């Protein structure tokens, strides 16, 4: 008999709809699972179990995901009544007065929010190891990173605490932890999901969605969450039918551009190269054409505008919080790496931001020209396999600058361009840990990625739960 934790969100919602189990039983299973595992994995940073059960007892909306429990990342999504800590001591007691738009849409679909998940401070570390909350542990190997910044969400899904969890991605923060935790992680196109109530500048590079165990869950969640809020600075046309339909649709014959070596920046580890090359052989076996390509962008040129846009957003967030508190910044408010970024960008000007936006657009045009030759790009997700905890230490800013780029060099270009990109758990490294490969499509072609992902998932299914969970 299939156990609760083996069900993905789509199957779980169907079971509730059929009456095989009640919404309350579904939520109670998730709560029991969290209570049994979280003391070991340190995933949850905010809980609302009693409130969630009370919501179920009052009656949930009749939606496509009724009775499906989830958790929200404690950064980029507010849950009314819970602290949105952003992984930072400066925000530790900032309680959300209202739900974010994405939380509202999840609730309207019948989902039940059980709490908030661990994240690094202000999302700046590609590993979830904040001073405030401590490290989230990878359920595949607890000595190793979950990735970041959606590491708590990813660990929760990989461990079977919840079938899906909210995540967002400003430089790889969906795809990096998806790779490290053996999950499917889609960063949608810019404008696909409303960032409300986040300011528009954050929506330029940071995009909202989720980490999931199956492709169909990601598509169904995107159907639930996609679509602009009136007044959004960015919007994008909807799917032909639904994103869920796209998963079962034949993607047709695709030209897939394979890239495994960066033009500059860190060298890509042989395990990561081998993962991408193995994926290339798989797509060839499915009838697609592999087109070897050279990387046409300069990693330093990508990091510069990304750093300005994200660094300026960090400055605004910290200064706004200090204004709320009516005081100056203290030594123990933020971590050393965050302080370096804050000091570096706090003296920036509007001219710097405009130049960063111009540079981002030029990069978008340059990468966009690749899609005149191919339909999809295939790359490693990461430059190196999952590190041990402590390798990415925000107490050592110099080491962070040197090491963090190893985990974002393949992912961050597509935040700058706004193009959809997904990490698929199609490989393992030489030690047996999951290793993702990345597929990228042109702006607004999320459906194409989901169709290809569905085909690959059928051809090469992966473990849906971490073996130790």
């Amino acid at each position: 008999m299939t156990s609760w934790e083996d069900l993905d969100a789509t199957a779980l919602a169907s079971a509730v709809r059929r009456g095989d189990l009640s919404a309350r039983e579904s939520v109670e299973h998730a709560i029991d699972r969290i209570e049994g595992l979280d003391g070991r994995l340190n995933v949850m940073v905010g809980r609302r179990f009693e409130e969630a059960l009370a919501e179920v007892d009052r009656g949930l909306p009749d939606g496509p995901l009724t009775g499906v429990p989830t958790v929200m990342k404690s950064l980029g999504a507010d849950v009314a009544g819970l602290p949105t800590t952003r992984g930072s001591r400066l925000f530790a007691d900032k309680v959300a007065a209202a739900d974010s738009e994405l939380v509202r849409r999840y609730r309207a679909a019948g989902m039940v929010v059980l709490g908030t998940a661990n994240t690094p401070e202000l999302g700046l570390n590609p590993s979830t190891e904040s001073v405030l909350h401590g490290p989230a542990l990878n359920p595949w190997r607890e000595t190793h990173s979950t990735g970041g910044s959606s590491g708590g969400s990813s660990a929760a899904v990989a461990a079977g605490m919840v079938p899906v969890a909210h995540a967002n991605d400003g430089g790889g923060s969906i795809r990096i932890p998806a790779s490290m935790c053996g999950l499917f992680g889609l960063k949608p196109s810019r404008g696909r999901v409303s960032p409300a109530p986040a300011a528009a500048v954050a929506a330029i590079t940071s995009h909202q969605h989720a980490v999931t165990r199956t492709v169909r869950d990601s598509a169904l969640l995107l159907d639930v969450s996609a679509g602009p809020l009136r007044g959004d600075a960015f919007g994008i046309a909807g799917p032909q039918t639904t994103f869920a339909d796209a998963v079962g649709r034949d993607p047709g014959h695709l030209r897939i551009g394979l890239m495994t070596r960066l033009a500059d920046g860190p060298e890509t580890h042989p395990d990561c190269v081998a993962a991408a090359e193995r994926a290339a052989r798989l797509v060839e076996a499915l009838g697609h054409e592999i087109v070897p390509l050279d990387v046409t962008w300069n990693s330093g040129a990508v990091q510069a505008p990304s750093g300005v846009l994200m660094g300026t957003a960090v400055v605004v967030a910290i200064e706004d919080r200090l204004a709320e508190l009516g005081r100056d910044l203290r030594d123990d408010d933020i971590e050393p790496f965050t302080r370096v970024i804050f000091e570096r960008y706090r003296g920036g000007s509007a001219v710097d931001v405009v130049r960063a936006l111009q540079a981002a657009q030029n990069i978008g045009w340059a990468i966009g020209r690749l899609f005149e030759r191919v339909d999809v790009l295939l790359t490693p997700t990461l430059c190196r396999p999952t590190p041990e905890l402590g390798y990415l230490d925000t107490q050592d800013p110099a080491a962070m600058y040197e090491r963090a780029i190893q985990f974002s060099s393949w992912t961050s270009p597509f935040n700058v361009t706004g193009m959809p990109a997904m990490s698929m758990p199609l490989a393992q490294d030489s030690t047996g840990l999951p290793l993702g490969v990345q597929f990228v499509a042109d702006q607004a072609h999320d459906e194409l990625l989901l169709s290809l992902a569905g085909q690959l998932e059928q051809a090469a299914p992966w473990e849906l739960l971490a073996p130790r969970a």
Side-chain angles (χ1 to χ4, degrees), residues 72 78 99-110 113 224 229:
M72 308 300 293
D78 289 346
D99 288 341
S100 293
E101 177 64 15
L102 183 59
V103 175
R104 189 195 68 77
R105 294 182 186 190
Y106 280 2
R107 291 187 192 274
V113 177
V224 163
L229 185 66

Side-chain angles (χ1 to χ4, degrees), residues 179 182 271 274-276 278-279 424-429 432-437 462:
S179 177
D271 285 359
R278 177 186 172 193
M424 297 195 69
L426 296 177
Q428 293 185 339
D429 67 19
L433 285 175
L435 194 59
V437 295
W462 50 81

Side-chain angles (χ1 to χ4, degrees), residues 26 67 69 251 320:
S26 172
D320 285 353

Side-chain angles (χ1 to χ4, degrees), residues 73 150 166-171 173-175 186-195 202-210 234 414-421 443:
K73 178 179 176 180
S150 306
H166 163 251
N168 44 38
D169 190 317
S173 290
I174 288 174
R175 291 158 289 161
L186 170 68
K187 180 198 77 66
S189 293
R190 178 185 296 141
R192 182 66 72 195
V193 179
S194 175
I204 294 170
T205 56
S206 185
H207 310 138
Q208 302 278 355
H209 190 36
F234 304 100
F414 309 108
N415 295 88
V416 172
T417 66
M419 295 166 179
Q443 173 71 337

Side-chain angles (χ1 to χ4, degrees), residues 147-296:
S149 61
S150 306
S153 293
S154 296
V157 176
M161 295 180 180
V162 289
V164 294
H166 163 251
N168 44 38
D169 190 317
S173 290
I174 288 174
R175 291 158 289 161
I176 293 167
S179 177
M180 294 186 187
C181 292
L183 302 176
F184 179 74
L186 170 68
K187 180 198 77 66
S189 293
R190 178 185 296 141
R192 182 66 72 195
V193 179
S194 175
V201 67
I204 294 170
T205 56
S206 185
H207 310 138
Q208 302 278 355
H209 190 36
V211 284
T212 65
R213 296 199 294 261
T214 63
V215 176
R216 68 178 185 174
D217 276 4
S218 186
L220 183 54
L221 273 175
L222 200 56
D223 282 322
V224 163
S225 60
L229 185 66
R230 291 185 185 277
D232 277 355
F234 304 100
I236 197 168
Q240 296 176 32
T241 53
T242 66
F243 292 111
D245 286 342
V247 175
R249 189 183 305 150
D250 185 346
H253 174 76
L254 300 177
R255 298 163 300 159
I256 298 180
L258 174 63
M259 299 173 162
T260 59
R261 310 281 179 187
L262 292 163
D264 65 330
E267 182 178 354
T268 303
H269 190 280
D271 285 359
C272 301
V273 172
E277 290 175 341
R278 177 186 172 193
R281 292 193 295 272
L282 174 61
V283 298
E284 277 189 314
L286 292 170
H288 303 296
E289 177 186 357
I290 289 294
V291 181
L293 293 177
D294 292 328
V295 167
T296 58

Side-chain angles (χ1 to χ4, degrees), residues 73-107:
K73 178 179 176 180
S74 189
L75 172 68
D78 289 346
V79 180
L82 286 183
T84 304
T85 68
R86 307 187 189 191
S88 175
R89 289 164 290 178
L90 184 61
F91 293 85
D93 59 355
K94 183 175 173 61
V95 177
D99 288 341
S100 293
E101 177 64 15
L102 183 59
V103 175
R104 189 195 68 77
R105 294 182 186 190
Y106 280 2
R107 291 187 192 274

